[in-house]
Amino acid sequence: MVLGAATGINMTMGVTYSWSVIKKALVSDWQWTNVEASLPLTIYTAIFALAMVFAGRMQDKLGPRLVANTGGIFMATGLISCSFTSTPLLMTIAYGITGIGNGLCYSTTIPASIKWFPPEKKGFATGIVVSGIGLATVYISPIANWLIGHYGIPKTFLFLGTGAFLIIMMLAQFLSNPPHGYHPKTKLGLSTRPVVAEGHLHREVHWREMIRIALFYKLWFMYFFAASAGLLIIGHIAAIAKTQAHWENGYYLVIFFALLNTSGRLVAGFLSDLYGRLSILLCVFLLQAVNLVFFVHYVTPTSLALGAMTTGLCYGTFFALFPLVTADFFGMKNFGGNYGLLFLAWGFAGILGPILAGFAVDKTGTYHMAYLVSAGLLVGSFLLALTIRPAKVIS
């Protein structure tokens, strides 16, 4: 029940993926500039990442239900407030409130779920939970497009906010941490046994101790470099299709990306239980680097679809594996706060990736330079991963 509720909350949080559709309407119907219509999403991304830091710590202390309920209120307040705004500044502020809500909700779904499962099943459980957001990409854009076409932009925000509020508030009641002293049955023994990381023994690492460990910074930059590559592609995929393949229907690539993004989360979590988190990450870093090196040669709709699908597969993998390596190395007791700090890497990646792509195409007329720089960053992630010894449960 906890796993299902957490997955449902993540799917509901995916209403924010409707922004690409809303942005198009803001430009065409309200005559906003592209910069004005992009600003709310940029601020939302930054606030979402920052909120995760504080929300994770709240979840560790107060439990998932209260934090998720609060997140649902903030999320609904932000979206419904957008329905009463008509200027870029006010909508940016309102949509930023939505980012607070999503940060609160997302901080509860992973820890509340995986605490119930033994080590050999945590990967698959995490894959299921984070796949909810990937699935949202598939269903929310058509819904938002239909709402805008029939009711306009303000009522679209109103309906999305009201629906998200009702669903999250209902599902949040099923979130709970295991009772004190709970130990899931496992082939490996008690899931609370300590792990060895970087040659040191850590039972439950607090964030104040974590930020003094070199391993944390290695993981942070691995996440930062890897996520920026995926955000580079997804943020510009329609423009890439037009520039490289002279294809006006590049929005179809978003669907391909979304499907593989979801699959990557599920498959990576499952495989990491069998072969280890770092082994899967090493493979994915290399796959994504090679994909980006060849991306400039994807000049047909078919090749671009394959490139977008590969990017989605790799991008989804990171959302499943980085929470797991955080739990493996630093424990579950302070997982919310610890992963919140690591998740800041995704927030910064949301700035680097799209800006790098925009700078490259403005200066050179192509995305080739951005692809190569991102491929180089992924090689950097690969090299960093090679310096980390896998976490091992000890007896």
Side-chain angles (χ1 to χ4, degrees):
M1 290 177 64
V2 173
L3 185 66
T7 305
I9 288 173
N10 279 351
M11 288 185 67
T12 307
M13 282 168 49
V15 299
T16 54
Y17 279 106
S18 64
W19 189 262
S20 60
V21 176
I22 294 171
K23 173 181 176 292
K24 181 179 178 182
L26 290 172
V27 173
S28 61
D29 298 352
W30 288 7
Q31 285 74 54
W32 287 18
T33 66
N34 279 288
V35 173
E36 290 173 336
S38 299
L39 186 59
L41 183 62
T42 302
I43 298 302
Y44 159 86
T45 301
I47 291 177
F48 181 12
L50 287 171
M52 277 285 291
V53 177
F54 303 100
R57 294 167 62 188
M58 289 173 59
Q59 193 280 149
D60 291 335
K61 294 180 179 180
L62 304 176
R65 188 176 302 153
L66 175 61
V67 177
N69 283 327
T70 306
I73 293 172
F74 270 98
M75 184 178 175
T77 299
L79 288 171
I80 294 172
S81 296
C82 285
S83 69
F84 296 100
T85 64
S86 59
T87 65
L89 176 60
L90 291 177
M91 189 167 290
T92 297
I93 295 172
Y95 209 62
I97 297 173
T98 303
I100 297 174
N102 274 22
L104 289 167
C105 288
Y106 192 57
S107 71
T108 67
T109 55
I110 299 175
S113 300
I114 64 176
K115 287 178 181 178
W116 289 92
F117 293 88
E120 68 270 21
K121 294 183 179 180
K122 286 186 186 297
F124 190 52
T126 301
I128 292 174
V129 173
V130 297
S131 70
I133 291 183
L135 286 172
T137 317
V138 179
Y139 81 84
I140 194 60
S141 292
I143 291 176
N145 190 61
W146 184 86
L147 287 173
I148 289 174
H150 286 76
Y151 298 102
I153 297 172
K155 286 188 176 179
T156 295
F157 278 120
L158 180 62
F159 292 148
L160 291 177
T162 303
F165 174 77
L166 294 175
I167 294 172
I168 290 177
M169 296 302 285
M170 177 184 67
L171 293 176
Q173 310 318 308
F174 295 95
L175 294 182
S176 64
N177 287 325
H180 180 71
Y182 170 83
H183 300 300
K185 292 181 179 180
T186 169
K187 298 175 183 178
L188 305 177
L190 294 181
S191 61
T192 53
R193 288 186 298 169
V195 299
V196 173
E198 293 285 279
H200 299 286
L201 179 63
H202 297 290
R203 294 181 180 274
E204 295 292 347
V205 181
H206 192 272
W207 70 268
R208 291 187 180 90
E209 180 184 356
M210 184 182 70
I211 61 176
R212 296 196 295 267
I213 300 173
L215 172 63
F216 167 71
Y217 295 97
K218 292 179 182 180
L219 295 174
W220 197 95
F221 279 103
M222 285 162 55
Y223 201 176
F224 175 48
F225 294 157
S228 65
L231 291 166
L232 180 156
I233 299 299
I234 192 60
H236 289 260
I237 192 62
I240 290 171
K242 184 175 181 179
T243 300
Q244 293 182 194
H246 308 291
W247 188 34
E248 297 292 342
N249 296 324
Y251 58 87
Y252 284 116
L253 297 176
V254 177
I255 299 176
F256 296 140
F257 179 97
L259 292 173
L260 270 294
N261 179 15
T262 303
S263 302
R265 297 170 190 232
L266 287 168
V267 173
F270 175 73
L271 292 179
S272 74
D273 287 334
L274 299 176
Y275 304 108
R277 325 297 188 202
L278 291 176
S279 298
I280 305 301
L281 278 174
L282 285 168
C283 294
V284 174
F285 289 150
L286 283 183
L287 176 61
Q288 182 70 306
V290 171
N291 182 47
L292 283 168
V293 168
F294 284 97
F295 221 95
V296 72
H297 301 294
Y298 301 157
V299 294
T300 65
T302 300
S303 60
L304 277 173
L306 291 174
M309 291 166 70
T310 302
T311 301
L313 179 71
C314 296
Y315 184 69
T317 296
F318 304 139
F319 277 90
L321 295 188
F322 278 101
L324 289 168
V325 295
T326 303
D328 287 347
F329 285 120
F330 306 118
M332 284 302 306
K333 181 179 180 181
N334 304 296
F335 173 81
N338 291 344
Y339 183 61
L341 286 171
L342 186 66
F343 193 74
L344 278 175
W346 177 83
F348 282 95
I351 299 172
L352 174 64
I355 287 179
L356 176 60
F359 178 81
V361 77
D362 286 343
K363 292 294 183 182
T364 66
T366 73
Y367 290 92
H368 193 194
M369 181 180 71
Y371 299 151
L372 293 179
V373 171
S374 290
L377 293 177
L378 282 157
V379 171
S381 292
F382 177 84
L383 295 175
L384 282 171
L386 287 176
T387 69
I388 300 174
R389 280 179 284 172
K392 294 182 179 180
V393 179
I394 67 172
S395 52

